[in-house]
Amino acid sequence: MQVLQVVAPVFGTNCCVVVAGGSSADARQDAGPRRDCVVVDPGAGVAAEVSRLVERHGLRPRAVLATHGHVDHTWDAADLCARYDVPLRLHAADAYRLADPFGSLGLAAGGGPGVSDALAAALAGTGRRPGDYRVPRHVETFDGTGGPVEVVAGAVRLAGVPAPGHTQGSTLFVLDDGPGTADDGDAAAGTVLAGDVLFAGGVGRTDLPGGDAATMTRTLRDVVARLDPRLVVVPGHGPRTTVAHELATNPFLRRAAG
């Protein structure tokens, strides 16, 4: 599988298109049957570019996934789900956020002082308003309380690993790229789409509604630290990294392990 990336203009959310089968060279060919893909974390302003990428690479979206329910990771989900007639899938514990994207962030719904901060300013900078948000019509949830679950969408298969702390339903999506097939060309065991659980040099905040610092510490110690160190990490925001690099240098991981 390959991971193609589009960066949202709002908060720089990393939206990923996970493509089944083939090689990076194959992904650039227009001929041949369409290959299945899933779109992960469609932040505000990515829908048009994702659609162009889908056409350019001859892809067929089979689902939209969210690593968690924060609106900067789900804003364009309704658009893409309707465009390709596919569901949005996310952990059941975060599904409530879809109907109340601003209130579940502790912000004033529909405008007002709460939303007139960084999020509203970022939306306004792209010509969007809080009232423009739409809830996807078709939402499917999965329950990871028993541990990792297999998320299947056509030919795409990901492991959904529960990783609460940033939100109750935060999930790591782990895929097996095979050696040397990561976009950066490095030999790797695969890729983990980390959402806002793990960043290059940092971790997700825990002071928003549904976040919990103690839970995040357990996730870092018992989940993130046990990932294959060869995995390439695509965080929800910012540059790519590897599990090995974060284990060696990330102060939050080192503190959690201690």
Side-chain angles (χ1 to χ4, degrees):
M1 287 191 281
Q2 295 86 46
V3 179
L4 308 174
Q5 192 170 323
V6 177
V7 180
V10 176
F11 282 6
T13 302
N14 290 325
C15 173
C16 294
V17 179
V18 179
V19 185
S23 67
S24 295
D26 293 335
R28 291 190 292 271
Q29 296 177 355
D30 294 326
R34 288 184 175 267
R35 291 182 296 147
D36 289 349
C37 70
V38 297
V39 180
V40 183
D41 284 356
V46 301
E49 182 59 30
V50 166
S51 295
R52 285 192 287 269
L53 184 152
V54 164
E55 291 306 311
R56 185 183 313 131
H57 296 295
L59 306 178
R60 177 174 55 183
R62 302 301 295 263
V64 174
L65 309 180
T67 58
H68 63 292
H70 282 162
V71 69
D72 57 318
H73 292 253
T74 63
W75 184 282
D76 275 6
D79 185 334
L80 290 168
C81 288
R83 189 173 305 192
Y84 297 109
D85 191 23
V86 298
L88 170 65
R89 296 180 180 173
L90 78 168
H91 194 289
D94 267 17
Y96 75 96
R97 297 178 182 275
L98 299 174
D100 186 15
F102 297 103
S104 62
L105 275 171
L107 305 175
V115 180
S116 63
D117 60 3
L119 177 56
L123 290 170
T126 63
R128 293 171 176 82
R129 301 169 300 172
D132 295 334
Y133 173 80
R134 295 292 179 267
V135 181
R137 292 182 179 178
H138 184 186
V139 177
E140 296 179 356
T141 62
F142 53 84
D143 182 1
T145 55
V149 297
E150 186 179 37
V151 180
V152 180
V156 180
R157 283 170 167 75
L158 307 174
V161 182
H166 178 64
T167 67
Q168 305 99 313
S170 286
T171 302
L172 307 177
F173 291 118
V174 181
L175 58 123
D176 179 8
D177 290 332
T181 61
D183 281 356
D184 58 10
D186 290 342
T191 301
V192 54
L193 310 182
D196 288 0
V197 174
L198 179 67
F199 304 124
V203 299
R205 60 191 294 178
T206 59
D207 59 333
L208 298 174
D212 185 82
T215 301
M216 176 65 92
T217 296
R218 287 193 295 273
T219 286
L220 296 175
R221 182 190 66 221
D222 299 337
V223 178
V224 175
R226 296 182 181 179
L227 294 172
D228 189 322
R230 298 172 297 164
L231 286 170
V232 172
V233 178
V234 182
H237 309 267
R240 296 186 179 203
T241 182
T242 65
V243 172
H245 182 75
E246 297 311 306
L247 288 173
T249 64
N250 190 309
F252 298 94
L253 271 175
R254 293 167 68 89
R255 190 178 306 129

